[in-house]
């Protein structure tokens, strides 16, 4: 069984391209392991944008393992921004090739697109029969606009629990940070 590892990477893509893939897994990548990565996609892509793209996974001798990753998709085209993209419908013949769990997702759109279906995390978990320990983090601070130079840093740190806002909807980016808040961020 071939083993391919995509591990410990930070992938940042700011694009207006017609199609964007953070990690692209194609044509029966049996045994591929995607571990401990951070994938951030921002911009105004006119087509689909996805953090991880699976195509043609339908047979093989090893599972595709996707664990302990942070996937953030802030593409402004909400109807086409996904974490997972699968070119065909997920069904009983191809779900056995996936081992997906313990990931953190942040997407302004749905979590997955599979052939013709858009899926929330709950739909995805139900169909895939895995991913039960993953979670969706929806960090939306009204005072941190998408064009702010610190937008990606704030949403990433907040989605990982490193930083908190002043309230659930405000971050106060120009406020002074106390020593206690700095220590909390360092040791989070």
């Amino acid at each position: 069984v071939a083993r391919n590892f995509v591990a410990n990477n930070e992938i940042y893509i700011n694009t207006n391209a017609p199609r964007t893939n953070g990690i692209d897994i194609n044509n029966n990548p049996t045994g591929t392991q995607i571990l401990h990565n951070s994938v951030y996609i921002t911009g105004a892509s006119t087509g689909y944008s996805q953090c991880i793209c699976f195509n043609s996974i339908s047979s093989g001798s090893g599972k595709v393992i996707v664990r302990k990753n942070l996937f953030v998709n802030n593409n402004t085209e909400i109807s086409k921004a996904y974490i997972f993209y699968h070119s065909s419908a997920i069904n009983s013949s191809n779900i056995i090739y996936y081992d997906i769990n313990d990931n953190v997702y942040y997407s302004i759109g749905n979590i997955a697109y599979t052939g013709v279906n858009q899926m929330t995390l709950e739909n995805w978990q139900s169909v895939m029969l895995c991913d039960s320990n993953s979670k969706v983090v929806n960090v939306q601070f009204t005072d941190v606009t998408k064009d702010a130079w610190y937008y990606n840093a704030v949403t990433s740190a907040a989605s990982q629990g490193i930083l908190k806002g002043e309230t659930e909807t405000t971050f106060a980016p120009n406020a002074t940070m106390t020593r206690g808040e700095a220590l909390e961020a360092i040791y989070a």
Side-chain angles (χ1 to χ4, degrees):
V1 174
R3 292 280 181 199
N4 301 306
F5 291 94
V6 179
N8 303 314
N9 295 290
E10 183 163 327
I11 300 167
Y12 175 80
I13 301 169
N14 185 353
T15 183
N16 293 327
R19 184 177 186 106
T20 304
N21 297 333
I23 298 174
D24 198 346
I25 307 297
N26 281 305
N27 302 323
N28 258 351
T30 58
T32 296
Q33 296 185 32
I34 301 168
L35 309 166
H36 302 282
N37 296 287
S38 296
V39 179
Y40 306 90
I41 297 178
T42 63
S45 179
T46 56
Y48 290 101
S49 70
Q50 48 272 336
C51 291
I52 187 164
C53 180
F54 300 115
N55 282 320
S56 306
I57 298 176
S58 58
S59 64
S61 57
K63 288 188 175 196
V64 173
I65 298 169
V66 182
R67 291 186 170 266
K68 300 192 182 283
N69 298 283
L70 170 65
F71 296 118
V72 179
N73 194 337
N74 284 322
N75 187 318
T76 57
E77 183 59 52
I78 294 173
S79 66
K80 296 180 180 178
Y82 304 104
I83 300 300
F84 293 99
Y85 175 90
H86 197 287
S87 60
S88 59
I90 301 289
N91 56 49
S92 60
S93 69
N94 59 17
I95 63 168
I96 62 172
Y97 301 106
Y98 296 98
D99 179 8
I100 302 171
N101 223 335
D102 299 315
N103 299 294
V104 176
Y105 308 127
Y106 173 81
S107 181
I108 62 169
N110 283 299
I111 295 301
Y113 174 86
T114 58
V116 295
N117 300 317
Q118 296 184 26
M119 297 182 169
T120 64
L121 179 61
E122 293 77 21
N123 301 133
W124 172 256
Q125 290 168 332
S126 167
V127 169
M128 294 298 288
L129 304 176
C130 64
D131 212 6
S132 60
N133 291 330
S134 295
K135 63 182 177 180
V136 172
V137 176
N138 191 2
V139 180
Q140 301 259 337
F141 296 119
T142 57
D143 57 350
V144 179
T145 60
K146 288 189 181 215
D147 60 345
W149 65 269
Y150 47 83
Y151 175 81
N152 289 326
V154 168
T155 56
S156 173
S159 69
Q160 296 176 67
I162 296 170
L163 295 176
K164 298 176 186 155
E166 292 288 317
T167 69
E168 285 190 25
T169 59
T170 60
F171 184 75
N174 296 317
T176 303
M177 182 181 252
T178 67
R179 283 185 238 163
E181 290 170 333
L183 284 172
E184 184 179 5
I186 291 168
Y187 292 104

